[in-house]
């Protein structure tokens, strides 16, 4: 009798979809409408990489205790922690940074930041599962384009588009999505997550937000976004200590040169 019970190897598209679920789960933890997040979060945790599920479930339990009042005390306009990239990255003009982020979003048709995201079926059609990834709900008009939830959801979006391309055998499109995701992580989300995590840790130790921020940091490290390089380019800032620079700069050349059609 064959007693081989080895778990089937995870395919590249399945791995990409699992990471899409992971980053969307983390995005949900920082939405500006916290009351809607825990149930949705529980609904997609099982699609995340297996090794992350226990911690994500613990975060989901903690997030059930978060009220809108608690959220606004920590984030929001008058909260203790900045939750946008432009508040942490002080070595470039905020206007240019925001234009850079917007360029990435436009190049890949990511409209969730404006409250009108692509339907999940467009991204994951043919995947056979994971059809309920709520990209369109994680961003909202209340969340700026460089908000932590918006950027995390964009990373999830790129993972899902990569999986869609892989399922369809489109090697070029999958490679474009992968390279764009790596560039976005290195030039944007990865540059301020250390400072963001430190700020949340100082102001909300032991909370669901503190645990979620730590998971974001760990997920980026797993993807090769080294903590040392990020620490050199970001500073942990609370609202009392600094504000964003409002000067303007140019557009992102990498996003402008992206082959949008190849990724659709």
């Amino acid at each position: 009798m064959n007693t081989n019970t080895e778990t089937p190897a995870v395919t590249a598209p399945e791995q990409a979809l699992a990471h899409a679920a992971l980053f969307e789960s983390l995005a949900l933890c920082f939405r500006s409408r916290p009351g809607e997040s825990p149930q949705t979060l529980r609904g997609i945790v099982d699609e995340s990489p297996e090794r992350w599920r226990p911690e994500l479930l613990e975060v989901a339990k903690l997030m059930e205790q978060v009220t809108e009042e608690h959220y606004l005390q920590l984030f929001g306009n008058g909260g203790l922690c900045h939750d946008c990239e432009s508040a942490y990255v002080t070595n470039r003009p905020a206007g240019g940074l925001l234009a850079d982020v917007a360029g990435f979003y436009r190049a890949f048709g990511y409209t969730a930041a404006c409250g009108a995201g692509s339907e999940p079926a467009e991204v994951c059609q043919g995947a056979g599962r994971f059809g309920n990834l709520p990209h369109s709900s994680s961003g909202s008009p209340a969340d700026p384009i460089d908000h932590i939830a918006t950027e995390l959801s964009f990373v999830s979006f790129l993972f899902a588009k990569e999986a869609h391309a892989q399922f369809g055998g489109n090697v070029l499109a999958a490679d474009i999505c992968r390279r764009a995701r790596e560039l976005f992580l290195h030039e944007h989300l990865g540059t301020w997550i250390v400072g963001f995590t430190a700020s949340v840790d100082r102001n909300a130790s032991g909370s669901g937000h503190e645990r979620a921020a730590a998971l974001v940091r760990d997920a980026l490290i797993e993807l090769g976004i080294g903590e040392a390089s990020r620490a050199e380019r970001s500073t942990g800032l609370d609202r009392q200590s600094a504000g964003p620079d409002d000067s303007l700069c140019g557009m992102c050349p990498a996003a402008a040169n992206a082959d949008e059609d190849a990724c659709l």
Side-chain angles (χ1 to χ4, degrees):
M1 181 176 64
N2 185 0
T3 59
N4 187 351
T5 59
E6 290 184 5
T7 303
V10 178
T11 66
E14 289 173 338
Q15 186 176 43
L17 284 175
H19 277 85
L22 169 62
F23 277 89
E24 187 65 19
S25 297
L26 294 171
L28 286 167
C29 295
F30 298 103
R31 286 177 59 183
S32 58
R33 300 185 299 274
E36 302 175 17
S37 299
Q39 291 182 333
T40 308
L41 175 58
R42 286 180 176 275
I44 61 175
V45 163
D46 285 345
E47 303 291 350
S48 301
E50 186 173 358
R51 62 188 174 282
W52 293 93
R53 293 174 197 170
E55 292 182 272
L56 287 172
L57 286 173
E58 287 299 316
V59 168
K61 291 178 183 178
L62 290 171
M63 293 303 297
E64 290 176 354
Q65 305 169 20
V66 177
T67 64
E68 186 171 359
E69 180 182 2
H70 290 149
Y71 179 89
L72 293 176
Q73 287 175 351
L74 186 59
F75 303 115
N77 291 333
L80 295 170
C81 300
H82 287 293
D83 49 10
C84 292
E85 179 183 352
S86 52
Y88 291 86
V89 179
T90 58
N91 62 351
R92 62 189 299 188
L97 183 151
L98 295 175
D100 202 17
V101 172
F104 273 96
Y105 294 172
R106 283 197 302 271
F108 290 90
Y110 176 71
T111 54
C114 300
S118 300
E119 291 297 326
E122 291 183 15
V123 177
C124 300
Q125 184 179 6
R129 65 184 182 97
F130 200 58
N132 61 341
L133 186 65
H135 288 295
S136 59
S137 62
S138 284
S140 78
D143 294 331
I145 63 172
D146 64 331
H147 188 271
I148 182 67
T150 310
E151 292 197 1
L152 285 168
S153 194
F154 178 60
V155 174
S156 172
F157 179 79
L158 289 178
F159 267 118
K161 287 183 78 71
E162 180 182 359
H164 175 50
Q166 290 171 332
F167 274 113
N170 192 333
V171 177
L172 174 61
D175 186 60
I176 289 173
C177 291
R178 177 189 59 78
R179 288 188 288 115
R181 183 186 70 246
E182 292 174 354
L183 187 62
F184 184 80
L185 289 174
H186 278 286
E187 295 192 351
H188 289 287
L189 185 57
T191 67
W192 64 288
I193 192 59
V194 169
F196 176 75
T197 302
S199 182
V200 176
D201 184 52
R202 284 194 298 270
N203 292 289
S205 180
S207 70
H209 286 116
E210 185 269 333
R211 292 280 297 276
L215 288 182
V216 175
R217 178 199 61 206
D218 293 346
L220 295 191
I221 290 174
E222 182 180 80
L223 292 176
I225 310 300
E227 185 166 1
S229 63
R230 294 201 310 277
E232 292 171 0
R233 294 179 289 176
S234 63
T235 305
L237 300 177
D238 297 335
R239 289 194 181 276
Q240 294 86 345
S241 61
D245 184 344
D246 293 326
S247 55
L248 298 174
C249 188
M251 288 295 294
C252 168
N257 292 331
D259 186 349
E260 180 180 351
D261 292 338
C263 294
L264 297 179

